[in-house]
Amino acid sequence: MATVRESARDIPIVREVDVVVAGGGPAGFAAATAAARLGARVVLVERYGCLGGLATGGMVLYMDGLFNKAGERVMGDIPWEAMERLRAMNGLGLDAPTRIHVDSELLKVVADALCTEAGAELRLHSWVANTWVEDDTVQGVIVETKAGRQAIRAKVCIDATGDGDVAALAGATFETGRQRIGLNLKMGGIDRDRFLAFERDHPEQARALRARVREMGGFPLRPNTTPDSDAGVYWINILGLADRAGGGKDEGSVHDIFDGALDALSVEDLTFAEVTLRKGLVATIDLYRQSVPGFENAHLLAFASQLGVRDSRRITGLHKLSREDMLSQRRFDDAIGTSGLSFSNVGQYWIPYGSLVPERLDGLLLAGRCICADGWAQQAIRLIPPAMVTGQAAGTAAAMAARLGIAPRNLEPAALRRQLADDGVML
């Protein structure tokens, strides 16, 4: 491959803080809020123009993990506070008392408020392009902006990018996973009751419809509740593409169904997914409008502005959260939170601090779907509420480590757990 040499340049350090959070998704805004509430000087950098990540720009609106199989709430503080703030704004759609769907646009506002009220500084439209490392310690991040490259120095960095970009740029080891890539959407004009009656009363026709949609390169549509469902507005979760031929299984375990081959770190694969999904979804909407009860007056309101990427880098940490950990409901001495587990009968699992700490690098913590986990466990920790749990823990640990002047790996787990419990985290 031919190359071009980029000239060396001096990059201005625009901020020097206690904690810099890279990525403003559910893990990132929770991390920034938690760290700032403990008095840390915090900067949150985000490549898009809003916070919330896949829960806002990606329109992944089901808050899976807030409750266990017994219907008991298992998350407190920031994840639950976000839900309560949304409830007060009429920003929740309920399929059931424990099946909560958020309003993507109002969650952007709530995430902004959580961070700014705590005192965190937001720097949107800033894409992490590099890091700098001295003696195996991450010193900060370099971001690409409309004003050119800028550097932010921090005592502790939190990688909440989803793809583990900061850790990878800093030289951390990782493994990669691949799952189907989707593109969610919102639609209006749907009569959901008529559609559900069609599925219930004519299962063979509904099955044949789904097969026909897949054969034409489309994607089956199933409307999910929003706060505006009484006006016919629904969000639709698109399982998406397994590979360039469409591919993928429709039956089997959740891991079988979500399995894919597209690379979320490849510009070519991401571009292919964007174009192919939009084209296929428009054709699908036309078909449903013509032939599916309840969709006669349906119309597209918006595609998600972010692809539904489910898996990519998983950074090597001090502990790899595993299938066995979850199925045995292992109670870790350094547990930083818990989550419901909807696709297993055990119904609940705990997350260790060791999964947030890179194996080798200091000055860095992980949050969200890039934490250290095997492929089975990652299917659970990648969801929105668990990402907020790991984000809050990372932000709390970063603030404590910065105040003490120690590496995050040297933070006493018992002290971290006491702080999290004091803040209302369910351990």
Side-chain angles (χ1 to χ4, degrees):
M1 181 181 295
T3 62
V4 61
R5 182 176 295 277
E6 183 178 13
S7 300
R9 52 181 161 168
D10 294 324
I11 299 172
I13 299 175
V14 296
R15 294 290 187 276
E16 295 195 41
V17 295
D18 297 315
V19 179
V20 62
V21 181
F29 77 70
T33 300
R37 283 179 174 178
L38 291 180
R41 295 167 299 155
V42 180
V43 166
L44 169 59
V45 297
E46 163 59 39
R47 63 175 171 163
Y48 294 110
C50 68
L51 302 181
L54 285 181
T56 56
M59 294 186 189
V60 180
L61 306 184
Y62 172 37
M63 297 294 102
D64 191 359
L66 288 169
F67 302 89
N68 64 19
K69 280 289 180 66
E72 301 164 329
R73 179 162 61 90
V74 296
M75 292 182 192
D77 206 39
I78 292 174
W80 191 246
E81 180 181 346
M83 299 303 108
E84 289 297 282
R85 289 192 180 213
L86 285 166
R87 193 188 308 276
M89 300 169 71
N90 192 32
L92 298 182
L94 303 179
D95 265 0
T98 61
R99 189 174 179 87
I100 295 175
H101 298 168
V102 299
D103 182 281
S104 59
E105 306 315 299
L106 291 178
L107 182 56
K108 294 175 184 178
V109 178
V110 167
D112 288 343
L114 286 168
C115 291
T116 57
E117 289 172 12
E121 178 187 357
L122 304 182
R123 294 180 72 87
L124 306 179
H125 304 287
S126 301
W127 187 308
V128 173
N130 211 340
T131 62
W132 79 95
V133 180
E134 298 174 6
D135 299 324
D136 287 334
T137 301
V138 178
Q139 303 295 319
V141 297
I142 297 171
V143 297
E144 196 71 67
T145 76
K146 287 290 187 179
R149 286 200 175 196
Q150 300 175 340
I152 300 171
R153 186 194 300 274
K155 295 175 183 176
V156 181
C157 300
I158 297 175
D159 188 338
T161 62
D163 293 316
D165 293 333
V166 173
L169 289 166
T173 58
F174 57 87
E175 60 185 20
T176 56
R178 298 185 181 187
Q179 295 187 40
R180 292 171 92 150
I181 295 177
L183 182 68
N184 287 357
L185 62 153
K186 284 183 182 176
M187 294 183 64
I190 294 174
D191 185 332
R192 185 177 185 233
D193 290 340
R194 289 190 62 228
F195 171 74
L196 294 179
F198 162 70
E199 284 201 322
R200 181 188 66 243
D201 299 338
H202 306 282
E204 291 302 322
Q205 290 184 36
R207 189 175 299 111
L209 168 69
R210 292 191 292 270
R212 180 183 173 190
V213 168
R214 286 187 290 269
E215 288 172 2
M216 61 176 269
F219 307 93
L221 306 178
R222 185 174 180 80
N224 294 294
T225 302
T226 73
D228 299 308
S229 292
D230 57 352
V233 177
Y234 295 89
W235 72 281
I236 298 176
N237 190 40
I238 300 299
L239 186 57
L241 299 167
D243 52 43
R244 291 201 172 222
K249 299 179 180 179
D250 295 313
E251 298 180 352
S253 72
V254 65
H255 298 84
D256 292 335
I257 293 170
F258 281 99
D259 189 40
L262 292 177
D263 183 359
L265 305 176
S266 162
V267 169
E268 292 82 4
D269 278 1
L270 292 174
T271 302
F272 172 82
E274 291 268 18
V275 174
T276 303
L277 285 159
R278 280 194 289 267
K279 179 181 177 181
L281 285 167
V282 167
T284 302
I285 292 169
D286 287 342
L287 173 63
Y288 271 59
R289 192 182 294 118
Q290 295 167 15
S291 59
V292 179
F295 276 79
E296 293 89 347
N297 299 310
H299 52 275
L300 175 66
L301 294 177
F303 289 123
S305 59
Q306 297 176 224
L307 281 172
V309 172
R310 298 177 170 98
D311 200 358
S312 56
R313 296 189 190 96
R314 299 180 227 125
I315 308 302
T316 306
L318 298 182
H319 180 87
K320 180 183 283 188
L321 186 62
S322 69
R323 178 179 185 271
E324 291 71 25
D325 291 335
M326 288 187 175
L327 293 182
S328 67
Q329 295 188 300
R330 181 175 175 181
R331 300 290 191 98
F332 299 93
D333 292 338
D334 64 343
I336 50 80
T338 182
S339 174
L341 185 61
S342 60
F343 58 78
S344 170
N345 289 333
V346 300
Q348 187 174 353
Y349 66 95
W350 282 259
I351 307 166
Y353 180 56
S355 293
L356 280 58
V357 182
E359 183 179 49
R360 180 177 58 82
L361 291 167
D362 283 323
L364 180 66
L365 286 167
L366 313 169
R369 65 177 170 83
C370 65
I371 72 169
C372 188
D374 67 17
W376 197 95
Q378 196 273 348
Q379 190 67 247
I381 60 93
R382 69 174 177 79
L383 302 172
I384 306 300
M388 287 193 268
V389 169
T390 58
Q392 177 163 1
T396 302
M400 294 174 68
R403 184 175 65 240
L404 295 170
I406 62 175
R409 73 177 65 251
N410 295 328
L411 185 65
E412 183 182 348
L416 173 60
R417 283 170 52 82
R418 283 195 297 272
Q419 182 63 60
L420 290 170
D422 287 345
D423 292 336
V425 174
M426 295 182 176
L427 299 172

